[in-house]
Amino acid sequence: MEATAASLLLPSARKVLIPVLLLLAAGSLSGRASADGVRYDYRAYTECKPHPEPALYDGGVLRWASKVTDFRTEDEGNYSPAFVLYNMSAAIAYSFSCWVKIEGPGSAYVKAKILTLENAASQCIGNALVRNDCWSFLKGGFALNSSSQTSVLYFQTASPNASTISIRSASLQPFSPDEWNQHREDRIQLIRRRFVNVHVSNSNGSRIIGAKVAVHQITRDFPFGSAISKNIIGNKPYQEWFTKRFNAAVFENELKWYATEPSPGKEDYTLADQLLQFVQSRDVMARGHNIFWEDPRYTPAWVKNLTGPQLRTAVAGRIESLLSRYKGDFVHWDVSNEMLHFGFYEDRLGGNATAEFFATAKRADPLATLFLNDFNVVEACDDLSSSADAYVAQLRRLADGGVTFEGIGLEGHFGKPNIPYVRAVLDKLGTLRLPVWLTEVDIGSSLGQRAQAEYLEEVLREGFAHPAVDGIVLWTAMGTNASCYQMCLTDANFTNLPAGDVVDRLLEEWQTREVVGDTNDRGSFNFSAFLGEYKLVVTYQNLTSEGTFSLARSDDTKHINVRLAGPVVV
């Protein structure tokens, strides 16, 4: 929520505006499509097109709405088409999309907003980088904090020179909580689980009816982890608590340049080495965070004083020292951290600096996946510096400079998350066909532990169910005196806090502990299981066969042939 009555229309002006808008709208719009049983549409577009595509959901509830051609508020000077919506429910998730074009400057950011007239509060629900020569796709969504009898969906440009906003193929689709959750579960079955058919036969190839089949999961395929810090070193209870849950880790601060080289030429990797030894001893994968942090506040003080050739020498030495030492040890490297918001290195070394960082890092460690990483991409609709379109524009700029991109990092430091907006951003970034990771997920401490847990569960379910997301890491390293950056999972005695209970419940839900059963009259046993590594034991009378198999992502059923008194064939 951002605007108040003071920054919108004056009450007397709003009294005039509302009857006009009511006459231009048609009927109650909030619930008509919720009973349609429509499935969520993951389609999105990042390219600007000469003609708009058809509306998603055939327009949803906007099929019955009339468009107001010149809606204005005093909120940053709006001039836009708008839609009036009635009887909007706080229990509903609304998915919004449209195609947008402007007149005026070559390009400008346009935000879609929802204004509830009862309390004169507006909320950003989506944004797009829009051009004057083609149509851009804006996708977002929202859930209201409280139900509203009358709301206005309107558009706002960040450029004072954009004279007209044109909208085509607008769509607003409501989903009940059951529908939204069912879409998640359907998608989890499709992308995180796989059907398996175990066929059992004897040495002659004849099928065996009634053979006992037991399947036990050994490892999970989906990386789900947490940040750790130096406080886990030598702390056995913390180590056991961590490795019981997580298969991925990131070091909170111990690999950052200010930590490994606080003075020029005086490198100290002691803590990073110890943390790496711990995660490797527990078969936990590790992300490398980070090579460079663009925020000057976290740039080593001695580096800030360097310019030109001296700075180039220092950054080349940083990459060589870090990646030669840990070559092959980290599956990812965040090469440039938060460069959507800051530009310390490019400001001093030129616009090619980041491309050079990536090229040097790839030569130093060819097996590592190289990432950009930034905040507020999924957390905040109003931060146009890090919108999905801003991220895409940055990626394309760097690609033009020769960078081959491999991964997109989304930090995920949430206040109260707007889940429909989160899904829409992931839809857009998913069109790039690059691995997307939620790299630093937490919920603001000011909300309280119960709300943290509630919102964390929503974010984690959304990330796990989305086809673009390849891994999730929490930003929940325990520091001194059981402190955390924003959100802790346990207290000092490693007793779960509410957020920790959410993590444990989801980890239990998202793995297949054991499946047992008998082969049917066709000698087969069918089941569905989460992706990962499995142990298989088949017994019949006095015969036993054991083996292992893996479930990787695929639309096809996995067929496993077991010949008793012979090897397992997968």
Side-chain angles (χ1 to χ4, degrees), residues 17-27 68 84-86 117 149-150:
L17 175 68
I18 292 172
V20 175
L21 295 179
L22 299 185
L23 290 172
L24 291 171
V68 181
V84 181
L85 306 170
Y86 299 129
L117 296 185
Q149 289 186 351
T150 309

Side-chain angles (χ1 to χ4, degrees), residues 310-357:
Q310 290 181 320
L311 182 56
R312 289 188 181 279
T313 299
V315 298
R318 161 67 172 171
I319 299 175
E320 174 62 28
S321 172
L322 187 66
L323 271 68
S324 62
R325 184 182 190 88
Y326 296 118
K327 183 176 182 178
D329 289 325
F330 292 91
V331 296
H332 300 164
W333 279 105
D334 291 330
V335 178
S336 291
N337 194 53
E338 300 180 355
M339 73 173 302
L340 293 176
H341 292 85
F342 309 102
F344 176 84
Y345 295 98
E346 289 197 348
D347 289 345
R348 289 156 180 78
L349 298 175
N352 237 7
T354 304
E356 293 172 5
F357 295 166

Side-chain angles (χ1 to χ4, degrees), residues 201-203 543-545 563-567:
S201 60
N202 59 23
S203 58
L543 299 175
T544 300
S545 183
R563 181 163 292 187
L564 287 175

Side-chain angles (χ1 to χ4, degrees), residues 173-192:
Q173 180 63 41
F175 295 102
S176 70
D178 287 345
E179 289 172 330
W180 194 266
N181 292 333
Q182 189 59 54
H183 299 167
R184 285 174 176 163
E185 292 307 308
D186 292 346
R187 192 54 59 159
I188 287 171
Q189 174 62 59
L190 184 66
I191 65 174
R192 308 297 181 203

